[in-house]
């Protein structure tokens, strides 16, 4: 079966712009989580969605937001981009917390 | 709040030698622990979860609640085991919501 799909794979944006990243979970998985991976901070939890509701949110500013659609696909949005937002953004889907399957990520570069 | 500590950023062993990657956690509830592996240029993959008590690619990990540890072990390392390994803890936050907290990772290099 298809894995977790993230689009786009790479993105270059300018400071101050906004960006939307997309994640399609494994079919049947209703939980989608987002993580930011950087060399300095490692893997940090952004938020988790389940059945179109945000269940959990990490310690990130309000510029980071997300949503989940009825088909479980999820998007995350970052507004007013800063240089420090440059990172690999990972999406993971889960079935009843039995482990999380990760996508390949979207590499965001802010210039 | 939950916390996962991997004390070794880098670990090198020779092929055929035993390897142990350390992971300690702090969490007041009942933990669900995982090991993830990231090979060069590949996505993060689930290696082990403690509830299944399985052995994947020769790796095992035992949850020691007394020492709050979940060390990853393999008796004979192979060159293809070279990768970044992350220990992670799934903790309940509220209701049925859970959050996966990662350690900082250990880069394992298996030398020929």
């Amino acid at each position: 079966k298809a894995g977790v799909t993230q689009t786009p794979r790479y993105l270059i944006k300018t400071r101050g712009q906004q960006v939307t990243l997309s994640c399609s979970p494994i079919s049947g998985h209703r939980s989608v989580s987002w993580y930011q991976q950087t060399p300095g901070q490692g893997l940090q939890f952004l938020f988790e969605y389940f059945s179109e509701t945000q269940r959990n949110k990490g310690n990130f500013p309000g510029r980071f937001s997300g949503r989940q659609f009825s088909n479980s696909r999820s998007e995350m949005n970052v507004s007013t981009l800063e240089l420090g937002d440059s990172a690999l953004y990972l999406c993971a889907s889960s079935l009843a917390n039995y482990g999380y399957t990760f996508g390949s990520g979207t590499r965001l570069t802010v210039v | 709040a939950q916390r996962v500590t991997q004390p070794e950023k880098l670990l090198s062993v020779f092929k055929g030698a035993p390897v142990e990657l350390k992971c300690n956690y702090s969490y007041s509830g009942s933990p669900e622990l995982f090991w993830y592996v990231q090979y060069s240029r590949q996505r993060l993959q689930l290696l082990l979860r403690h509830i299944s008590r399985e052995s994947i690619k020769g790796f095992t990990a035992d949850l020691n609640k007394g020492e709050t540890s979940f060390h990853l072990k393999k008796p004979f390392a192979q060159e293809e085991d070279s990768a970044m390994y992350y220990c992670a803890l799934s903790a309940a936050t509220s209701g049925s919501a859970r959050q996966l907290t990662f350690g900082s990772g250990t880069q394992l290099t298996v030398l020929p």
Side-chain angles (χ1 to χ4, degrees):
Chain A
K1 58 183 175 181
V4 178
T5 304
Q6 291 188 246
T7 56
R9 289 294 306 274
Y10 302 93
L11 211 46
I12 299 176
K13 289 286 187 178
T14 305
R15 269 183 304 175
Q17 287 186 314
Q18 69 94 29
V19 67
T20 300
L21 313 181
S22 179
C23 171
S24 293
I26 291 173
S27 178
H29 287 196
R30 294 163 64 189
S31 169
V32 174
S33 302
W34 289 88
Y35 296 81
Q36 183 195 64
Q37 186 176 25
T38 59
Q41 299 297 318
L43 282 150
Q44 293 187 288
F45 172 76
L46 280 155
F47 26 66
E48 185 220 0
Y49 286 87
F50 183 87
S51 292
E52 302 179 65
T53 301
Q54 186 182 87
R55 281 202 303 196
N56 217 351
K57 185 169 167 44
N59 191 25
F60 277 82
R63 299 185 297 106
F64 291 81
S65 63
R67 60 178 174 168
Q68 187 180 33
F69 302 95
S70 57
N71 61 358
S72 293
R73 189 177 71 85
S74 177
E75 290 181 346
M76 69 163 277
N77 185 277
V78 188
S79 62
T80 320
L81 283 165
E82 300 176 359
L83 295 178
D85 298 333
S86 295
L88 180 67
Y89 289 88
L90 295 172
C91 166
S93 75
S94 168
L95 180 64
N97 300 317
Y98 291 145
Y100 300 75
T101 303
F102 283 82
S104 298
T106 293
R107 172 79 58 188
L108 172 65
T109 302
V110 183
V111 297
Chain B
Q2 61 273 11
R3 187 183 183 97
V4 177
T5 302
Q6 293 179 250
E8 304 137 329
K9 291 192 72 169
L10 303 170
L11 183 63
S12 294
V13 300
F14 286 101
K15 177 182 172 182
V19 61
E20 182 180 53
L21 290 84
K22 291 183 167 49
C23 171
N24 289 90
Y25 68 92
S26 64
Y27 178 54
S28 56
S30 184
E32 290 182 26
L33 286 150
F34 305 86
W35 276 99
Y36 281 85
V37 60
Q38 192 168 33
Y39 300 102
S40 180
R41 301 182 188 282
Q42 293 188 27
R43 66 180 67 190
L44 206 56
Q45 301 172 36
L46 177 64
L47 183 63
L48 285 177
R49 52 187 182 217
H50 91 273
I51 56 173
S52 56
R53 299 186 63 81
E54 56 200 341
S55 172
I56 303 292
K57 298 185 180 183
F59 285 98
T60 59
D62 289 316
L63 176 60
N64 186 323
K65 290 188 178 180
E67 296 182 0
T68 60
S69 68
F70 188 56
H71 303 327
L72 184 68
K73 301 177 184 179
K74 185 170 183 177
F76 307 103
Q78 303 299 315
E79 289 181 70
E80 56 265 29
D81 296 329
S82 296
M84 179 70 94
Y85 291 81
Y86 293 96
C87 182
L89 181 151
S90 176
T93 52
S94 63
S96 56
R98 299 190 75 89
Q99 175 176 326
L100 198 59
T101 299
F102 285 89
S104 54
T106 298
Q107 179 68 49
L108 174 66
T109 301
V110 181
L111 304 166

